[in-house]
Every structure is written in C-alpha cells, then in structure tokens.
Amino acid sequence: LKQQAQRPKQQARRLHHQARRLKRQAQHPKQQARRLHHQARRLKRQAQHPKQQARRLHQQAWCLKQQARRLKQQLPRLKQQARRLKQQLPRLKQQARRLKQQGRHLKQQARCLKQQLPRLKQQARRLKQQGRHLKQQARCLKQQ
C-alpha cells in the first residue's frame, strides 16, 4: 500500500520534469538549431574524410601484422625453452626427492645425537672427576 501510495507522487514528479523540459526546449529553438547545425557539420566532416579513416585502419592492420610476425619469430625459441624445461623436470624432481631424504636422515641423526647428549654429559662429568682424583693421587705420591 505504501508503494502504491508513492507511485502517483513519482508519476507527478516525472510529469513535472517532462513539462519543464518541454518548456525549456520551446524557449530555446536557437540553441537547438545551433546544435543541429554543429551535428550536420560534424557529419559532413566525417563524410569528407573516409581516406583518413582508411589510412588509420591500414596502419592498425600493419601494426597487428608486425606484432604477429614478431610473435611468430619468438615461437621456436619459446618452444625450445619449454622442451628444455620439460627435460629438466625429472632431474629436478629426483633432486628434490634426494634432498627430502637427506633432510629426513639429518633429522634422524639430530634425534640420535639429542638422545646421546645426557649420556655424553655424564661421561664428561665422570672423566672430570677422575682427572681430579688422579691429580690428588699425584700430589699425594709427590708428598711421599
């Protein structure tokens, strides 16, 4: 209902604008005549220069042809590049596999070393202690 109630308002507004436009057009026939005059001149000028248009189109065609020629020249080089990359692919894949494997080995080695660390630390402590004992024994022997 709200929308239906607004519709006549919109219609009235539209009619009002249309009336104003028509009024303005009726008041300014000179402007309209000038506009039509310019339009006619523009059309006349366009009709006079089909040669220029043809020249422009010809130039565009030439540019496109040259572009196509350039691309055609590049094609064998690009094909060769693609072939070379395709050939390198299995070797690179194998290299990647090998590196992955090496990484796994290194991780395992690190794990092993980490496990050995406490034992080695204890061994070092024991050796240090033995060294102290030996020093003390040597001192004792020297005194005797």
Side-chain angles (χ1 to χ4, degrees):
L1 285 172
K2 205 174 186 183
Q3 282 182 335
Q4 284 177 352
Q6 282 180 343
R7 274 194 201 130
K9 282 183 186 175
Q10 286 176 343
Q11 200 174 7
R13 196 182 301 127
R14 198 172 26 255
L15 287 169
H16 172 72
H17 281 299
Q18 204 173 2
R20 281 188 65 184
R21 197 178 309 115
L22 288 168
K23 204 174 177 184
R24 194 167 47 241
Q25 282 175 357
Q27 275 179 350
H28 304 295
K30 280 184 181 177
Q31 275 187 345
Q32 202 173 6
R34 197 182 300 130
R35 193 169 39 250
L36 287 170
H37 172 72
H38 281 299
Q39 206 173 1
R41 280 188 67 182
R42 197 179 308 117
L43 288 168
K44 204 174 178 185
R45 195 166 48 241
Q46 282 175 358
Q48 275 179 349
H49 305 297
K51 280 183 182 177
Q52 275 187 345
Q53 205 174 6
R55 197 182 301 130
R56 193 170 39 251
L57 286 171
H58 176 72
Q59 201 173 9
Q60 279 178 347
W62 183 77
C63 284
L64 287 169
K65 265 185 188 173
Q66 209 168 19
Q67 239 177 357
R69 203 178 304 124
R70 205 173 299 123
L71 289 170
K72 215 174 180 181
Q73 283 173 350
Q74 286 177 358
L75 194 64
R77 187 173 52 81
L78 291 170
K79 270 186 178 172
Q80 196 178 17
Q81 222 174 13
R83 211 176 305 122
R84 200 177 304 121
L85 288 169
K86 215 174 181 181
Q87 283 172 351
Q88 286 177 359
L89 194 65
R91 187 174 54 80
L92 290 170
K93 271 185 178 173
Q94 197 177 16
Q95 217 174 15
R97 246 196 316 271
R98 202 177 302 120
L99 287 169
K100 217 175 181 182
Q101 217 170 15
Q102 280 179 355
R104 267 192 298 243
H105 280 306
L106 288 170
K107 264 186 184 172
Q108 201 174 9
Q109 275 182 342
R111 217 176 293 124
C112 285
L113 289 170
K114 218 176 184 180
Q115 283 173 352
Q116 288 177 5
L117 195 64
R119 191 173 51 78
L120 291 169
K121 273 184 178 174
Q122 199 176 18
Q123 227 176 8
R125 254 196 308 273
R126 206 174 298 118
L127 287 169
K128 219 176 183 180
Q129 219 170 19
Q130 280 179 359
R132 276 197 222 106
H133 280 300
L134 288 170
K135 268 185 184 175
Q136 203 174 12
Q137 280 180 352
R139 228 179 280 123
C140 284
L141 287 170
K142 229 182 193 181
Q143 283 176 358
Q144 286 178 4

